[in-house]
């Protein structure tokens, strides 16, 4: 299957007759990347599904405002990150009076999650990732699990300098190593 | 082709090139991505199922809860002090000051009416100038002063006042 370029997709969407068709192509092109990016942050499938729907609804609604300052993928990615971070903040607020925080609770329930099939080492890695601060977790997940993601692309998406991102990633790796080895 | 890193992996550290670690441990329901496009309700702008209260409603809710709590605490405090009103100090003097023991005037005593006439003449001379003095400072109408000084002061009030002030009723009524 030949993948449409962003320009072709945008041209289809801007034409009222092919708007829905263009949007369907856009969803098919980016849904997996967006979904997995969200899923690694929120862990739970239902939450990831809800957020993914929210992201594409926003994309559909605000696509006319897209000015092509950045690539379409970067723009969608940014929406998904904003939605995810807002969601996590809301969850953390609900856990304000709880004895455990949201990330610890997620780490503890990961093993019982029917949609988690990782082995022992993968479980330990995911638990260690969940204990990272939000920004470091985001950088680590995007860089570590996405082969195509470079620091330069990441810098564009997160609007942060490459140096700061490299430092964040480095700190994240060190913390995960410490968590895995228990040193 | 991906080149392998030259440095060796330290035991116990995170091997970032370990393909097993990079494997995705999460799963999705069957046909999830294929059906995803159909679940998008673009016309109704229906978003995620988990809805959070809009900011305004959330604020109203928060302030209402705070107001109810403050109200409950206030009522509780008032009730607490009312229930624990001390037994002593239930007697008060003319100025409203709390006294531990009743004054002679607050213990109901039969007043000898025969003493009244002698007492009243002295009392009127004592009280009325006292009342008139501050009244004159504030009230310019002479008729209203008269009303003020004469209204509401009964003979019993005068007797009580004198007793409070330490006059001996028996001595005052003595007629040689």
């Amino acid at each position: 299957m030949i993948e449409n370029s962003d320009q072709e997709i945008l041209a289809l969407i801007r034409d009222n007759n092919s708007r829905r068709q263009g949007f369907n192509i856009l969803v098919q092109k980016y849904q997996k990347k967006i979904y997995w990016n969200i899923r690694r942050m929120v862990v739970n499938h239902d939450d990831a599904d809800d957020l993914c729907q929210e992201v594409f609804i926003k994309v559909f609604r605000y696509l006319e405002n897209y000015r092509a300052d950045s690539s379409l993928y970067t723009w969608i990615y940014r929406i998904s990150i904003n939605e995810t971070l807002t969601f996590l903040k809301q969850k953390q607020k609900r856990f304000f009076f709880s004895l455990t925080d949201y990330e610890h609770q997620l780490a503890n329930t990961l093993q019982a999650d029917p949609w988690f099939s990782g082995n022992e080492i993968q479980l330990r890695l995911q638990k260690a990732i969940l204990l990272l601060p939000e920004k470091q977790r985001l950088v680590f997940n995007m860089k570590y699990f996405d082969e195509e993601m470079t620091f330069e692309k990441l810098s564009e998406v997160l609007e942060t300098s490459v140096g700061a991102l490299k430092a964040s990633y480095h700190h994240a790796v060190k913390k995960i190593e410490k968590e895995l080895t228990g040193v | 082709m991906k080149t392998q890193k030259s440095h060796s992996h330290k035991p116990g550290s995170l091997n970032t090139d370990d393909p097993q670690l990079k494997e995705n441990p999460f799963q999705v329901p069957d046909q999830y991505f294929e059906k995803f496009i159909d679940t998008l309700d673009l016309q109704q702008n229906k978003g995620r199922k988990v809805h959070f209260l809009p900011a305004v409603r959330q604020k109203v809710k928060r302030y209402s809860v705070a107001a109810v709590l403050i109200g409950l605490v206030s009522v509780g405090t008032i009730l607490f002090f009312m229930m624990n009103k001390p037994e002593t100090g239930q007697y008060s003097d003319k100025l409203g000051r709390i006294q531990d023991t009743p004054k002679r005037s607050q213990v109901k005593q039969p007043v000898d009416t025969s003493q009244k006439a002698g007492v009243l003449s002295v009392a009127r001379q004592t009280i009325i100038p006292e009342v008139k003095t501050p009244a004159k400072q504030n009230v310019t109408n002479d008729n209203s002063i008269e009303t003020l000084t004469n209204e509401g002061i009964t003979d019993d009030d005068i007797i009580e006042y004198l007793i409070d002030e330490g006059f001996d009723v028996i001595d005052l009524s003595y007629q040689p």
Side-chain angles (χ1 to χ4, degrees):
Chain A
M1 183 185 153
I2 301 164
E3 204 170 61
N4 295 65
S5 72
D6 287 351
Q7 293 309 316
E8 286 169 338
I9 294 171
L10 284 171
L12 284 171
I13 290 172
R14 278 171 188 151
D15 183 350
N16 279 339
N17 296 325
S18 57
R19 186 172 164 81
R20 189 64 202 245
Q21 184 204 348
F23 183 72
N24 286 358
I25 295 169
L26 180 144
V27 171
Q28 278 163 11
K29 186 176 179 184
Y30 291 117
Q31 63 173 347
K32 284 187 182 173
K33 279 189 174 181
I34 297 298
Y35 172 85
W36 288 119
N37 183 43
I38 294 171
R39 177 75 187 270
R40 286 192 194 100
M41 288 298 286
V42 301
V43 174
N44 181 283
H45 165 71
D46 291 331
D47 289 340
D49 178 36
D50 290 339
L51 283 168
C52 204
Q53 287 189 35
E54 193 76 20
V55 168
F56 283 107
I57 285 168
K58 281 201 170 169
V59 168
F60 183 76
R61 202 187 299 169
Y62 299 112
L63 204 56
E64 285 173 7
N65 302 340
Y66 170 65
R67 295 189 305 263
D69 294 337
S70 54
S71 71
L72 187 60
Y73 172 63
T74 305
W75 184 68
I76 299 172
Y77 228 130
R78 223 176 266 163
I79 293 174
S80 82
I81 288 165
N82 288 338
E83 284 293 308
T84 308
L85 294 180
T86 307
F87 174 83
L88 289 173
K89 277 196 179 77
Q90 294 278 4
K91 282 276 186 185
Q92 280 158 354
K93 270 187 193 170
R94 289 181 175 197
F95 274 74
F96 186 73
F97 293 110
S98 175
L99 290 174
T100 56
D101 54 38
Y102 179 57
E103 285 74 17
H104 275 87
Q105 199 250 355
L106 272 183
N108 292 334
T109 54
L110 195 60
Q111 210 163 358
D113 189 344
W115 302 112
F116 183 82
S117 62
N119 56 23
E120 181 62 28
I121 185 72
Q122 285 172 329
L123 179 68
R124 283 175 61 199
L125 173 65
Q126 288 301 324
K127 280 185 175 180
I129 293 170
L130 282 172
L131 300 180
L132 290 174
E134 222 164 59
K135 186 77 185 285
Q136 282 179 19
R137 187 147 59 104
L138 190 65
V139 173
F140 183 84
N141 277 332
M142 289 174 82
K143 181 77 185 82
Y144 186 73
F145 293 105
D146 190 346
E147 296 275 324
E148 294 166 16
M149 186 60 82
T150 61
F151 280 116
E152 285 70 27
K153 269 190 190 176
L154 206 55
S155 163
E156 202 185 334
V157 172
L158 297 175
E159 292 175 308
T160 312
S161 71
V162 172
L165 290 172
K166 281 182 179 174
S168 272
Y169 184 76
H170 174 76
H171 285 301
V173 170
K174 288 288 161 203
K175 282 180 188 173
I176 290 169
E177 280 179 354
K178 196 178 170 187
E179 195 67 33
L180 289 177
T181 55
V183 179
Chain B
M1 196 179 134
K2 201 180 170 189
T3 52
Q4 279 220 314
K5 282 186 183 175
S6 56
H7 66 266
S8 61
H9 166 62
K10 280 187 283 181
S13 64
L14 179 69
N15 182 5
T16 49
D17 289 328
D18 186 350
Q20 190 195 6
L21 280 178
K22 288 200 173 186
E23 237 173 57
N24 188 358
F26 297 105
Q27 288 182 326
V28 289
D30 285 342
Q31 302 272 304
Y32 170 71
F33 290 115
E34 288 76 8
K35 290 175 184 171
F36 178 77
I37 190 76
D38 302 325
T39 62
L40 285 177
D41 193 352
L42 299 171
Q43 301 309 315
Q44 292 179 16
N45 290 335
K46 191 180 165 188
R48 51 186 124 133
K49 296 159 210 159
V50 184
H51 291 291
F52 298 110
L53 284 174
V56 177
R57 275 175 65 197
Q58 226 171 17
K59 271 187 184 171
V60 169
K61 194 180 162 188
R62 201 175 299 157
Y63 287 131
S64 309
V65 171
V68 169
L69 282 176
I70 290 167
L72 284 175
V73 169
S74 310
V75 170
T77 310
I78 291 165
L79 284 176
F80 175 80
F81 282 110
M82 281 175 72
M83 299 292 279
N84 291 291
K85 191 178 175 184
E87 286 297 315
T88 55
Q90 57 185 318
Y91 305 106
S92 56
D93 62 9
K94 280 267 174 193
L95 297 173
R97 290 175 300 203
I98 308 262
Q99 305 292 317
D100 286 342
T101 51
K103 287 195 167 186
R104 279 170 63 196
S105 61
Q106 285 167 326
V107 178
K108 284 199 172 175
Q109 289 173 355
V111 178
D112 185 358
T113 48
S114 65
Q115 297 171 354
K116 269 191 176 177
V119 171
L120 284 177
S121 60
V122 178
R124 284 209 180 276
Q125 288 168 11
T126 315
I127 290 179
I128 293 170
E130 270 188 27
V131 177
K132 270 184 177 174
T133 310
K136 271 180 183 170
Q137 290 170 352
N138 298 324
V139 184
T140 51
N141 187 338
D142 285 339
N143 293 333
S144 62
I145 293 168
E146 282 301 310
T147 312
L148 180 71
T149 51
N150 290 329
E151 260 185 17
I153 300 173
T154 64
D155 290 349
D156 285 339
D157 288 337
I158 295 166
I159 291 163
E160 277 182 20
Y161 173 81
L162 288 173
I163 291 166
D164 286 348
E165 289 300 311
F167 285 95
D168 192 334
V169 176
I170 297 167
D171 287 347
L172 284 169
S173 65
Y174 176 68
Q175 299 285 331

